[in-house]
Amino acid sequence: MHEAAAVPSWVLLAYLISGVCFILALRGLSSPVSSQRGNRFGMLGMAIAVATTLATHEIASLWEIGAAILVGGGIGLLIARRIQMTAMPQLVAAFHSLVGMAAVLVGAAAFLNPEAFGIVDATGAILQVSRVEMGLGVAIGAITFSGSVIAYLKLNGNMSGAPILLPLRHVINLGTLIAILGLIAYFTQDQAPWIFWTVVALSFLIGFLLIIPIGGADMPVVISMLNSYSGWAAAAMGFTLHNSAMIITGALVGSSGAILSYIMCRAMNRSFISVIAGGFGAVASSGTAEAIDRPYKRGSAEDAAFLMKQADKVIIVPGYGMAVAQAQHALREMADLLKKEGVEVDYAIHPVAGRMPGHMNVLLAEANVPYDEVHELEDINSEFAQADVAFVIGANDVTNPAAKTDKGSPIYGMPVLDVEKARTVLFVKRSMGGVGYAGVDNELFYRDNTMMLLADAKKMVEEIVKALG
Amino acid sequence: MDFISILSIFVLACFVGYYVVWSVTPALHTPLMAVTNAISSVIIVGALIAAAAGGSLGAKWLGLIAVALASVNIFGGFAVTHRMLAMYKKKERRDA
């Protein structure tokens, strides 16, 4: 075979141990109790992988590498310390783009200096199988990079969250994808630089094209999908380098992202293909205009405070609006006051509440809400019937009863929280005008047992806190 | 290692990933994304090889930039995961 087969076995063992550490890192996340230990396993695995690589390669100049790690690491630590929890989706998207870019750069470096990677045959040409792996690696990496940059811009508000629909986009996307695969196939026959760089350029382009038609609330799926891609890119590079740590990690991260995308799609009752095709929420439903005139009950902070003080059980349903208004701390204060009055307070989280998987859980944890008060949809949905008050703050579509009854609704079939079964629904919303992301009106607003609290989420909760105190 | 042994590792790791990730509690899905982000930066191994090798100056600089990018992710990813996980607390027992 070739040079890579001559690697001493302790090196292979070290990379394997590093891979096992990464498995344990994810395993730790099965419970908040073991999660910190899991994270330390992750760090250990990374340290082993880096140390092994440095120990087994002749290094032309160590100080340059050290400087690169120091600069990068310093920036990373600074960002990690400064970032606000509400900005976590953007941060994750930005980090994904870095993994993608790193994969492209490593692939390009391997193309320019294949001897260093031990992937050349006797004549000095790059091994055919390595060319495929390399081609796939840079293609997936480039898609991850440009896709994540667009996702970042949308999540950070630099770019409108509305879907941007190009004419013929499906034809263009499919054509580009076929061109990339065709070029990678041709690359095995001819290792001309133009083929390699065209694959890179087309992949950057398609990453961009794939994400621009996808709207803001589909971002949980997009982020998970890009997470998956970054894993597959690492795995493809691992094949090129014959490195088990990279392959194990790539497979783990790839399946992790894929499973998260699946969970998110299931929670919206939509197929993965329809999310990726994009355009959801671009056309508002026709029923919106006349719906605004329907009668509804409006309440004040004092009304809400009074109702909740009398209650035995209150379930809080947070959504993206809570994150936007940064209302989580005020919300926890409100819950504390209610608990002092002897009210039982729980939180109900829909899987797609927020802009990334688990977004609400992190924000509530940040506000010191104990995690055993925070429940997933399946665990708490039956309890709304026993609740006196359902307090909906910044969520909309995930509470819409039309998903259960109205076959014509775009969100029909989506699992929703049964908030209308509570004796009273308090619905915090900025104004009656806006509709949820899906562009559908929420029948919940006009029910007899619903009281609308129309204000900025944070202000409303602060006023309720004042009224309770 | 030959291609088949590498492929075997990959396929088995996909299965391990499948079962391990399903057992992650939904409450920790955001830290899961942050930590997978950090560990997928193990791609730094490839970057280090490129940066360490003599010969092609272009490949070396691409490698060094990749080392820096992956380091942002490694340090940033693990640190932010740590920060998030430290916030998850259980209810304090009041009946003590």
Side-chain angles (χ1 to χ4, degrees), chain B:
Chain B
M1 280 190 286
D2 58 3
F3 183 73
I4 288 299
S5 13
I6 293 176
L7 190 67
S8 317
I9 295 176
F10 176 70
V11 172
L12 292 176
C14 284
F15 278 94
V16 172
Y18 180 85
Y19 289 105
V20 170
V21 172
W22 271 116
S23 73
V24 171
T25 165
L28 294 177
H29 275 164
T30 296
L32 171 69
M33 299 196 84
V35 83
T36 49
N37 220 314
I39 66 173
S40 61
S41 302
V42 70
I43 202 155
I44 196 173
V45 167
L48 287 171
I49 294 173
S56 163
L57 204 64
K60 185 182 130 183
W61 276 103
L62 291 180
L64 281 174
I65 298 171
V67 168
L69 293 183
S71 302
V72 174
N73 237 328
I74 292 171
F75 286 86
F78 282 125
V80 88
T81 309
H82 175 83
R83 210 182 121 194
M84 278 192 273
L85 293 176
M87 299 185 317
Y88 284 81
K89 287 184 199 85
K90 235 179 143 71
K91 207 182 320 199
E92 288 157 36
R93 295 270 157 251
R94 244 175 290 159
D95 48 15

Side-chain angles (χ1 to χ4, degrees), chain A residues 325-338:
Chain A
Q326 299 261 26
Q328 66 270 27
H329 299 279
L331 194 65
R332 206 254 328 178
E333 243 180 278
M334 182 186 96
D336 283 350
L337 288 171
L338 288 173

Side-chain angles (χ1 to χ4, degrees), chain A residues 261-272:
Chain A
S261 324
Y262 168 77
I263 294 174
M264 294 300 117
C265 287
R266 191 181 57 181
M268 295 193 288
N269 189 37
R270 298 180 50 210
S271 75
F272 185 67

